[in-house]
Amino acid sequence: SPSTSVKKKIVFIHLDLGIGGAEQLVVNLASASLDAGHDVTVVTSHCSQDHCFDIVKKPNGRLCNKVKVWGNFLPRGTLFGTTLCSSIRMIYLSYWTAKYYGSSANLIV
């Protein structure tokens, strides 16, 4: 039978790590995975220290050193709305996460 004590590398991808329901879910899952002894990374394109959960705030947030911000330079919106920019940012995050963690991560969420 498989061992439940095997440490896994888990990478969570979330577009914008602000304050909201989806963000709460991501940080709760990341925190629970960390509690279970897994190596956790949260990849996002934006994480404002003025508008995020305490658990990811620097310098004392439990997950602050587990958050990687990639693509913060990409626009969050245009005159035509945010959907196109969000899609481009998510493709950017997915590509670089797969490139950087694809061979080492056990699970990318």
Side-chain angles (χ1 to χ4, degrees):
S1 78
S3 173
T4 57
S5 63
V6 174
K7 182 177 180 177
K8 297 190 184 299
K9 173 67 179 168
I10 304 172
V11 180
F12 294 91
I13 303 174
H14 192 70
L15 189 59
D16 187 335
L17 208 54
I19 298 175
E23 293 80 6
Q24 182 72 64
L25 177 64
V26 170
V27 297
N28 285 348
L29 287 170
S31 183
S33 298
L34 203 57
D35 287 343
H38 301 298
D39 182 11
V40 172
T41 301
V42 179
V43 177
T44 185
S45 67
H46 184 76
C47 184
S48 169
Q49 293 296 295
D50 296 326
H51 188 72
C52 66
F53 289 106
D54 289 340
I55 195 168
V56 298
K57 282 188 181 177
K58 294 178 181 179
N60 298 321
R62 182 164 186 242
L63 295 174
C64 73
N65 294 324
K66 303 292 185 181
V67 175
K68 306 291 182 210
V69 179
W70 293 341
N72 200 31
F73 64 91
L74 295 167
R76 296 171 71 194
T78 67
L79 295 174
F80 306 107
T82 60
T83 304
L84 177 62
C85 290
S86 294
S87 297
I88 291 168
R89 288 169 42 226
M90 196 63 194
I91 291 167
Y92 180 88
L93 280 177
S94 299
Y95 172 80
W96 285 107
T97 299
K99 186 168 177 73
Y100 191 78
Y101 292 108
S103 62
S104 65
N106 298 101
L107 180 63
I108 298 176
V109 181

